[in-house]
Amino acid sequence: MTTRESIDFSHFLHFKNFFLLQEEASYQIRFIVTKQWTLYSVTPLHKFSYGKLWEYSKQLSNVITAQKEKRFILDGETDLMFQAKFSSFSVLKTKGKKQTAVLIKVSNDDDEEEENKVVWMGCLCYACTSDFVETLPEDFTCLPLFLVHGAQGFSNIVETWLQQTFDCYFSPLHINPIHLAWMAAIWSGCSMDHRMQATELTFSVPCLPYPLDISYAVHSEDAKALWDSINSIQGEVKQEEVELFMNSLYKHFHRHFKIHLSSTQLVKVSTSVASVHSLGKIKVCNLLF
């Protein structure tokens, strides 16, 4: 079973639709903002239970410590170098959906510095169409988006344990140029008190014997003015509007450099709201979004 086609990238177009801001939001959301996350798609989890998060924490702590220290963990052993913690992450929840995100933190208890204790984080999120979820049997939980921040070694251990425990499968989640264009258009149109960062688009030139990227930076105010002149209904976005936004940028670039960006491939978008790469790497830059 695969969920790649059911991932809904519209959640990333405007983060206020994805984050339910609550009283504890400022505390929880600091784990998300300013960190680069790598995205994976995940098939439904079999027999996952929100009521067993403490049990999962204990099991994963044993597995990580055993693999990192190359030893067996005795039953009842509590003084472990690495501690894993599963917790509900209510701030990262899609409005109107019952599935709550699950945050997994791995800490190194040997590190005396509090800020260095957390060495790896992962977050299982709900981000798919409701029609798909309704077809699942009751013993499956759909949290098809996995955000990862930390060393690959910890990622491999955690993913292997999750796959073996819940009979699921992880695969890298890449973002195609169409979705990147939507993000570029809508994020450029977001109103902000301080627009410090330009809208920067990175394009990859195909069919060359060596890698070549083209970086195209647009002043944030100019990008917003262009999108506002195209977007007819605030809060609603049409594919034709996104295409017009991108084509306008292409024409401006061609006028100055005689290069057809439409013949290249959009691979990265960076704005004051967030940055995202086609290889599934995303960083939220602004707390408000």
Side-chain angles (χ1 to χ4, degrees):
M1 182 182 293
T2 178
T3 60
R4 179 181 294 273
E5 292 78 13
S6 63
I7 297 289
D8 186 359
F9 281 102
S10 64
H11 293 295
F12 293 108
L13 299 178
H14 200 299
F15 286 97
K16 286 183 179 178
N17 291 332
F18 200 39
F19 298 148
L20 284 181
L21 300 181
Q22 301 169 2
E23 291 183 359
E24 71 275 15
S26 60
Y27 171 78
Q28 290 190 343
I29 207 169
R30 69 185 176 89
F31 291 108
I32 297 292
V33 177
T34 71
K35 294 181 176 67
Q36 178 171 281
W37 298 84
T38 302
L39 308 180
Y40 294 86
S41 62
V42 192
T43 58
L45 309 177
H46 184 233
K47 293 186 177 180
F48 173 86
S49 172
Y50 286 97
K52 294 183 178 180
L53 298 185
W54 182 86
E55 182 179 331
Y56 301 152
S57 301
K58 183 178 178 181
Q59 293 175 8
L60 185 55
S61 298
N62 290 343
V63 169
I64 294 176
T65 301
Q67 293 202 30
K68 288 295 184 179
E69 296 187 346
K70 308 298 181 184
R71 68 180 181 88
F72 291 105
I73 303 299
L74 302 176
D75 288 340
E77 187 174 347
T78 58
D79 189 19
L80 302 177
M81 176 179 290
F82 295 98
Q83 295 286 346
K85 181 181 179 181
F86 285 69
S87 59
S88 295
F89 198 58
S90 58
V91 74
L92 198 58
K93 180 181 179 182
T94 306
K95 291 182 179 179
K97 305 300 179 182
K98 65 179 181 179
Q99 290 87 347
T100 299
V102 176
L103 180 67
I104 307 171
K105 291 192 295 182
V106 177
S107 303
N108 184 351
D109 281 359
D110 275 4
D111 200 313
E112 295 181 358
E113 297 293 332
E114 186 67 28
E115 63 269 19
N116 295 332
K117 284 184 176 292
V118 178
V119 295
W120 183 93
M121 288 189 295
C123 191
L124 290 161
C125 313
Y126 179 90
C128 68
T129 61
S130 58
D131 291 343
F132 174 79
V133 177
E134 291 172 358
T135 64
L136 287 175
E138 291 184 358
D139 53 353
F140 283 94
T141 300
C142 187
L143 293 169
L145 182 62
F146 190 42
L147 288 75
V148 172
H149 173 77
Q152 187 62 45
F154 286 104
S155 298
N156 293 339
I157 295 173
V158 175
E159 289 172 19
T160 298
W161 182 83
L162 289 170
Q163 289 178 155
Q164 294 175 346
T165 304
F166 302 110
D167 194 21
C168 59
Y169 179 75
F170 291 79
S171 58
L173 185 60
H174 294 173
I175 305 173
N176 66 44
I178 295 177
H179 284 126
L180 289 175
W182 275 70
M183 294 174 189
I186 298 178
W187 290 348
S188 295
C190 291
S191 298
M192 301 181 65
D193 293 335
H194 302 284
R195 305 188 66 83
M196 301 296 294
Q197 181 177 329
T199 294
E200 184 173 354
L201 309 178
T202 303
F203 298 85
S204 176
V205 181
C207 303
L208 290 180
Y210 52 87
L212 177 62
D213 289 343
I214 298 175
S215 180
Y216 181 10
V218 182
H219 195 282
S220 58
E221 292 182 357
D222 294 336
K224 184 179 187 316
L226 174 60
W227 176 247
D228 289 345
S229 68
I230 293 173
N231 184 221
S232 57
I233 303 176
Q234 188 174 6
E236 295 185 15
V237 181
K238 300 177 182 178
Q239 177 64 30
E240 296 80 5
E241 294 174 334
V242 174
E243 292 175 356
L244 181 57
F245 176 80
M246 296 302 295
N247 287 334
S248 298
L249 295 177
Y250 293 162
K251 290 179 181 179
H252 179 78
F253 192 86
H254 181 265
R255 187 180 306 119
H256 289 276
F257 302 103
K258 307 305 178 185
I259 296 176
H260 292 282
L261 289 178
S262 57
S263 300
T264 64
Q265 186 174 44
L266 181 60
V267 295
K268 184 179 179 181
V269 172
S270 297
T271 71
S272 297
V273 175
S275 64
V276 61
H277 194 283
S278 61
L279 294 179
K281 298 184 182 299
I282 188 168
K283 177 193 243 183
V284 181
C285 305
N286 194 293
L287 181 63
L288 294 177
F289 292 90

